[in-house]
Amino acid sequence: MAGIGLRLPTKVSKTPDAVFRSNPSPITRCGASNVKMTISPVDENNNNKTFTLKKSQEAFNKAKELMPGGVNSPVRAFKSVGGQPIIIDSVKGSHMRDIDGNDYIDYVGSWGPAIIGHADDEVLAALAETMKKGTSFGAPCLLENTLAEMVIAAVPSIEMVRFVNSGTEACMGVLRLARAFTGKQKIIKFEGCYHGHADAFLVKAGSGVATLGLPDSPGVPKAATSDTLTSPYNDIDTIKDLFNTHKGEIAAVILEPVVGNAGFITPKPEFLNFLCEITKQNKVLLIFDEVMTGFRLSYGGAQEYFGITPDLTTLGKIIGGGLPVGAYGGRRDIMEMVAPAGPVYQAGTLSGNPLAMTAGIHTLKRLQGSGSYEYLDKVTKELTNGILDVGKKNGHAMCGGYIRGMFGFFFTDGPVYNFEDAKKSDGDKFAKFYRGMLEEGVYFAPSQFEAGFTSLAHTTEDIERTINAADKVLRQL
């Protein structure tokens, strides 16, 4: 597209029997040596400012009269950490400010999209130009071609892509497609992996023994989940049992290649490779849900980082640069079954919205810059190691890890390989830690079962202030 000036990276070759490459291993730690910090965690713009959430409380009380629980997504209500949710007024770079005037270093990043920082000037300028032409066409536009070319060039598994409006919608579409392509109905998902709120995905896993899924939410018919099989994450033996028990019935295996919705949990080195092999042996589709990990662990996502090429991939968050977006894509022979090329119907009024396409294009352009992922790796390593160091120094059982711009930690000795392990984390201690960090001007996800995110906008000073704040709070727990 004229004026965009894109540099499309060379496509990673697709091979049907891809195996693990010798990429750096996912980094996990359970304790470390002490680190001395000298910078005080004080916001220069709010020196000696009294921390208050009075306006947030008033706004939230009003919101509860207008919206279920006062929010439009449950975790925002702070149910798992207690205390008063904060109402955000503005964001910029690595910081956000609430309506009481409190400033926070943000490690949520709108749950992942803000990988280059909030309200990036270049993205805002591009959006302003696009808005002059209109906010929604309901018809094809050249921006769709541009972003599609970028996604296809970057993500090893994707030869064709369909844009939608959310990660949930992407996972709904890819599940329908997988069943249509294979002619089979059953799917395998993993406990602790979240694939949106579609009925078939709202299923609990058994306690170490995979079972037929039971609905995890009122209003979900048992019939909607009867073909959903579940397994603990990183559990090869259970997957083997499922394939033996349901031979010839399984359409797809879907997973987060790095779990972000049970806290930050990495795959064991052999796990993804095993899934690649067993799905190919049984003519089952392997689906990577890269709504979180796509363009975050590397420019080609987790599949490029680990050297595993799935059959289908879902994306979201980063490819919309902070605007609502989702996508699913994969091999051409599979994707050509999607309407209007094929019989699998899926549609969306705002799909391919010019504003989302613009924000995605300019976000990906920034990520192509030299040293982007090296910088994410550097700041995330400093943050994660620093928090674990001060945790150990102050006598707390903690473990955690990171890959590039994604991280997490648990209040348990670990190791944490799956959701059952994650649930051993001390939730009460996390809640106290969370509220303490909030008062110190640091915003983590308000749940111990959510990964954290860094961005290109996070500075060394941000990291030092965060570690200092963690040291202060952990001393008091």
Side-chain angles (χ1 to χ4, degrees):
M1 180 177 177
I4 296 295
L6 299 177
R7 175 183 62 80
L8 299 181
T10 303
K11 182 75 171 186
V12 177
S13 61
K14 302 182 184 70
T15 55
D17 55 349
V19 295
F20 261 83
R21 294 196 303 261
S22 57
N23 290 51
S25 298
I27 304 167
T28 56
R29 302 175 76 248
C30 291
S33 60
N34 295 342
V35 173
K36 295 181 180 179
M37 294 296 172
T38 58
I39 297 179
S40 175
V42 176
D43 183 351
E44 294 179 355
N45 297 318
N46 290 280
N47 274 336
N48 302 317
K49 184 180 183 296
T50 302
F51 181 79
T52 178
L53 294 176
K54 182 180 178 181
K55 292 181 180 179
S56 282
Q57 185 170 10
E58 292 171 352
F60 185 65
N61 288 340
K62 179 63 176 178
K64 287 189 288 187
E65 300 173 7
L66 304 170
M67 297 171 282
V71 294
N72 285 306
S73 191
V75 74
R76 301 176 191 176
F78 278 40
K79 291 287 188 181
S80 67
V81 294
Q84 171 62 47
I86 61 175
I87 310 299
I88 300 302
D89 179 66
S90 64
V91 293
K92 189 67 178 176
S94 61
H95 286 244
M96 58 187 194
R97 184 174 291 264
D98 68 21
I99 60 175
D100 287 280
N102 301 305
D103 183 84
Y104 306 90
I105 302 170
D106 177 27
Y107 294 105
V108 178
S110 191
W111 302 96
I115 192 168
I116 64 174
H118 288 294
D120 178 79
D121 290 341
E122 292 181 18
V123 174
L124 293 179
L127 285 172
E129 287 300 308
T130 300
M131 280 193 289
K132 292 178 182 178
K133 298 181 178 181
T135 59
S136 177
F137 302 155
C141 67
L142 282 176
L143 294 167
E144 294 172 285
N145 287 15
T146 302
L147 186 56
E149 287 173 350
M150 296 178 79
V151 169
I152 291 168
V155 183
S157 67
I158 296 183
E159 295 174 343
M160 298 187 82
V161 64
R162 167 62 62 89
F163 291 115
V164 293
N165 297 293
S166 70
T168 289
E169 192 179 343
C171 290
M172 290 170 60
V174 83
L175 174 58
R176 182 180 301 162
L177 176 59
R179 285 171 164 165
F181 183 80
T182 62
K184 296 178 283 189
Q185 297 301 310
K186 295 189 184 299
I187 63 165
I188 297 175
K189 72 173 291 290
F190 294 89
E191 180 182 7
C193 286
Y194 179 71
H195 307 293
H197 56 82
D199 286 356
F201 295 122
L202 288 181
V203 177
K204 290 181 178 179
S207 57
V209 179
T211 62
L212 286 174
L214 297 175
D216 206 23
S217 171
V220 176
K222 184 176 180 179
T225 61
S226 62
D227 286 323
T228 303
L229 309 171
T230 57
S231 168
Y233 195 76
N234 275 319
D235 189 333
I236 289 175
D237 289 338
T238 297
I239 295 299
K240 289 179 179 178
D241 290 342
L242 284 173
F243 271 88
N244 288 333
T245 302
H246 302 280
K247 197 169 186 64
E249 300 178 304
I250 300 170
V253 175
I254 185 170
L255 76 157
E256 293 178 90
V258 171
V259 182
N261 285 285
F264 176 84
I265 304 175
T266 58
K268 294 180 179 179
E270 69 274 14
F271 181 62
L272 297 181
N273 195 52
F274 165 76
L275 292 179
C276 187
E277 292 171 355
I278 196 169
T279 52
K280 282 176 170 53
Q281 290 169 3
N282 289 273
K283 294 182 171 56
V284 170
L285 298 183
L286 178 61
I287 304 171
F288 274 13
D289 180 350
E290 295 224 45
V291 170
M292 278 194 186
T293 58
F295 293 94
R296 179 162 286 278
L297 302 192
S298 70
Y299 193 73
Q303 57 198 263
E304 180 184 68
Y305 182 87
F306 292 116
I308 295 288
T309 302
D311 299 293
L312 291 165
T313 298
T314 60
L315 296 168
K317 299 185 185 294
I318 288 172
I319 64 165
L323 277 71
V325 77
Y328 61 98
R331 291 189 345 234
R332 181 175 295 273
D333 61 321
I334 303 174
M335 291 300 296
E336 285 183 335
M337 288 197 69
V338 178
V344 179
Y345 192 76
Q346 179 270 313
T349 299
L350 293 176
S351 297
N353 180 278
L355 297 182
M357 300 295 99
T358 295
I361 289 165
H362 286 271
T363 296
L364 297 194
K365 283 176 64 179
R366 290 284 297 282
L367 290 174
Q368 290 179 14
S370 176
S372 294
Y373 290 95
E374 290 80 3
Y375 184 79
L376 287 170
D377 191 74
K378 173 182 180 293
V379 294
T380 316
K381 177 181 179 180
E382 291 172 355
L383 173 71
T384 308
N385 290 358
I387 290 174
L388 294 177
D389 288 344
V390 297
K392 181 177 180 181
K393 183 184 74 173
N394 288 290
H396 298 284
M398 292 183 71
C399 68
Y402 71 95
I403 301 177
R404 302 284 169 75
M406 188 174 178
F407 70 93
F409 51 86
F410 299 97
F411 283 96
T412 181
D413 285 323
V416 174
Y417 292 127
N418 52 47
F419 189 42
E420 285 300 312
D421 292 338
K423 288 191 289 188
K424 297 173 185 176
S425 183
D426 189 332
D428 291 338
K429 183 175 286 188
F430 176 84
K432 293 175 183 177
F433 173 78
Y434 181 85
R435 294 194 298 270
M437 292 298 284
L438 209 60
E439 292 192 24
E440 294 297 317
V442 178
Y443 187 74
F444 290 121
S447 168
Q448 66 175 333
F449 299 130
E450 296 283 355
F453 304 106
T454 53
S455 74
L456 296 179
H458 282 89
T459 65
T460 298
E461 182 183 5
D462 288 333
I463 304 304
E464 291 175 337
R465 285 178 52 197
T466 301
I467 296 168
N468 252 357
D471 192 10
K472 177 179 177 180
V473 173
L474 289 167
R475 282 200 310 266
Q476 298 169 353
L477 292 186

